[in-house]
Amino acid sequence: MRAQWGWGKRGTSEGTKTGILFANPAPRESALPHGEIEAFIAAALRAAETAGVRGKDVTPFLLQEVARLSGGKTLKANIALLVANATLAGQIAVSYSTRG
């Protein structure tokens, strides 16, 4: 991160402000098989089209419909991913702050 942001010896940024993307996969114990989730998404998209859902209402509709179709498995997977992401973010922050 220091190399990406060009931090100097005194903690001042010498480089441009850019972002870093950390990709964190869903925990294995909560992840759903690809084919299963694809089927839920396809069914939810059809339901949204049939119901005439448009614009900003599409994402919440799809999330709710996929959760319903999966019997709540996707909600549990999303919560597990949220916790895993928060844990990773904390680990990164602690590691970065202690490296002086």
Side-chain angles (χ1 to χ4, degrees):
M1 290 180 345
R2 291 184 193 283
Q4 172 71 18
W5 292 327
W7 285 86
K9 290 183 181 179
R10 291 192 280 164
T12 58
S13 176
E14 298 169 356
T16 60
K17 295 289 182 183
T18 59
I20 298 175
L21 175 65
F22 294 93
N24 193 23
R28 287 183 191 247
E29 62 274 6
S30 64
L32 280 72
H34 181 76
E36 186 176 353
I37 191 64
E38 287 294 324
F40 294 144
I41 292 169
L45 287 169
R46 287 190 302 273
E49 182 68 29
T50 300
V53 178
R54 300 274 187 269
K56 66 182 175 96
D57 297 327
V58 172
T59 298
F61 179 90
L62 292 177
L63 287 171
Q64 184 175 9
E65 188 66 8
V66 168
R68 185 188 68 77
L69 292 167
S70 71
K73 289 187 221 175
T74 56
L75 179 59
K76 289 178 184 176
N78 281 331
I79 291 169
L81 181 57
L82 176 69
V83 170
N85 285 344
T87 301
L88 178 62
Q91 292 168 340
I92 291 168
V94 167
S95 178
Y96 185 70
S97 71
T98 60
R99 298 222 177 204

